[in-house]
Amino acid sequence: MAWTKIMPANPVVAVAGATGAVGREMLKCLEALDFPASEVRALASARSAGKKVPFAGCGAVPAGELTVQEMTPESFEGVDIALFSAGAGVSKALRQAVVDAGAVMIDNSSAFRMEPDVPLVVPEVNGTAAATHSGVIANPNCTTIQMVVALQPLRALGHIDRIVVSSYQSASGAGAKGMAELEDQTGKLLAGEPFEPAAFAHQIAFNCIPHIDVFVDGDYLNDVPVGYTKEEWKMVAETKKIFGDETVEVAPTCVRVPVLRCHSESINLEFDRPVSVEDAKAALAAGEHVTLEDDPANNEYPMPALHAGSFETFVGRVRRDHTVPDDRGLALWVVADQLLRGAALNAVMIAQLLLP
């Protein structure tokens, strides 16, 4: 049953997990997009209650500071939109309280993504799905978001039959503790000092780890083949749901790399018909929130060091995949700030879809 409450033009917005890496970015996105909020509540755990977080203002909320409140079931009384980035367990525990309060939960965790009655939304791809919610809308995984944003303009050129994607995911994908560990390990390695990995399974400094989230054995999200991680299978299941296309095949490999911020992806596509590189570049250049950065002759292509803090998804190295017959294959390279484009920004853009 779809939600029937009429969203006010100036909603009360709560940010659940406001002191975390994504929560802080949600507040910045509300500022940057001048979201027409009448009130913004910063919510977090009891240990963060009373802290002050800077806020540049949006809508009717003036610039200054927000005082962090302890998040309880009662925190959502009078709230219209609740942006959640506090972990799947917290989202599950507070879902009913949020819905009972008459608020819409936009959840950044994996808690509800594959529930049939919960829309999984990327505004540029399937924004109309947000209208079908019953109180909860799911934000996809960061790697999935930037990939489908980049691929959406290409879908007009032909059906994408197969996607082979390798992700190069930054330390910030593991939150503030991941970035801190990369910085700390780098310093200790250069100084010849010992260290013990904590945020990651192995050393992250000067290393690549082909292991993100847990390995699964067929009991998660539609019979996962043996050998894949949960992070990888999210890309498979979420892409199918967002595209509304169970026929698209996705073969992912997810790797953690020693980059502070921005995920990168190497993508090979197989279409059902010939697609020229020229047509693909033209489609990408016209894509919504997609920036084509593709001039190899002048060493211009997307790199994570250049695009931290950007709202755009950057695409380059667009070329023919010569292993696919009949000119039906393309290869490309995609970079985006996963804290923004892959999380906070997408959530706030979903909130914009709810406005009258």
Side-chain angles (χ1 to χ4, degrees), residues 323-337:
T323 67
V324 181
D326 304 322
D327 292 336
R328 293 185 293 107
L330 290 176
L332 55 149
W333 174 253
V334 179
V335 173
D337 186 322

Side-chain angles (χ1 to χ4, degrees), residues 79-114:
V79 169
D80 299 298
I81 297 172
L83 302 173
F84 262 72
S85 187
V90 174
S91 296
K92 290 177 181 178
L94 291 173
R95 174 184 188 170
Q96 199 59 49
V98 173
V99 174
D100 287 348
V104 178
M105 173 189 280
I106 301 173
D107 184 51
N108 191 56
S109 80
S110 61
F112 314 117
R113 289 174 184 160
M114 301 314 298

